[in-house]
Amino acid sequence: VQSLSYEEIEELKNNDQIKGEEYIERVASSNKSFSDKTVFSKEKYLKKKQQKHLSLFQILRPTSRTISEAYFSKTPSKIFFVRPDTLAQIINLANITSGDNVLIHETCSGLVIGSVAERLSGNGNIISLFTEQEAPV
């Protein structure tokens, strides 16, 4: 049973002086049954609170794979539902290597062009065609 009221917990959340780990420690210490729990139950409780209240993020290098996975998971319609493995197969079957001159016509928000540019590694040329009135940005 939690001895802190809802208002007190919200006040702790909104307090910028308290870090996430300290917040979790205060919530756990104010729980009356926390000391009676087993070690496994305590770890489980703390892990659950960390997932709920701590925000964790991971910084990834923006490669064609990570970008295509992000697009495909969030808004696949922007890239015409091209899966990351399909993009890899397109690049592989086009036999693009460093130093090539490549002509591309695509409407996948620049995903194919970016993948080809990554594959060229700064050596070679890309000519991009588009059929709209304006160049896609």
Side-chain angles (χ1 to χ4, degrees), residues 54-71:
L54 293 181
S55 57
L56 300 175
F57 61 92
Q58 184 178 15
I59 299 173
L60 298 174
R61 181 179 300 265
T63 62
S64 60
R65 179 182 173 156
T66 56
I67 292 171
S68 65
E69 286 174 351
Y71 265 124

Side-chain angles (χ1 to χ4, degrees), residues 24-60:
I24 292 171
E25 287 176 17
R26 285 191 185 182
V27 170
S29 64
S30 66
N31 190 332
K32 293 177 183 174
S33 63
F34 186 74
S35 59
D36 300 335
K37 294 182 184 221
T38 64
V39 175
F40 176 77
S41 295
K42 287 180 182 179
E43 289 176 5
K44 184 177 172 184
Y45 177 83
L46 292 174
K47 186 175 180 182
K48 185 176 161 186
K49 293 298 178 187
Q50 287 172 349
Q51 288 177 344
K52 184 175 180 181
H53 299 292
L54 293 181
S55 57
L56 300 175
F57 61 92
Q58 184 178 15
I59 299 173
L60 298 174

Side-chain angles (χ1 to χ4, degrees), residues 22 25 35 40 57 59 67 71 76 78-79 81 108 118-119 131 135:
E22 185 180 344
E25 287 176 17
S35 59
F40 176 77
F57 61 92
I59 299 173
I67 292 171
Y71 265 124
K78 279 189 172 182
I79 57 170
F81 301 94
C108 294
E118 181 183 34
R119 189 73 174 267
T131 55

Side-chain angles (χ1 to χ4, degrees), residues 5 7 15 20 24 33 44 64 71 74 105 107 118 129:
S5 68
E7 291 81 21
N15 190 349
I24 292 171
S33 63
K44 184 177 172 184
S64 60
Y71 265 124
K74 299 281 184 191
H105 181 263
T107 55
E118 181 183 34
L129 301 176

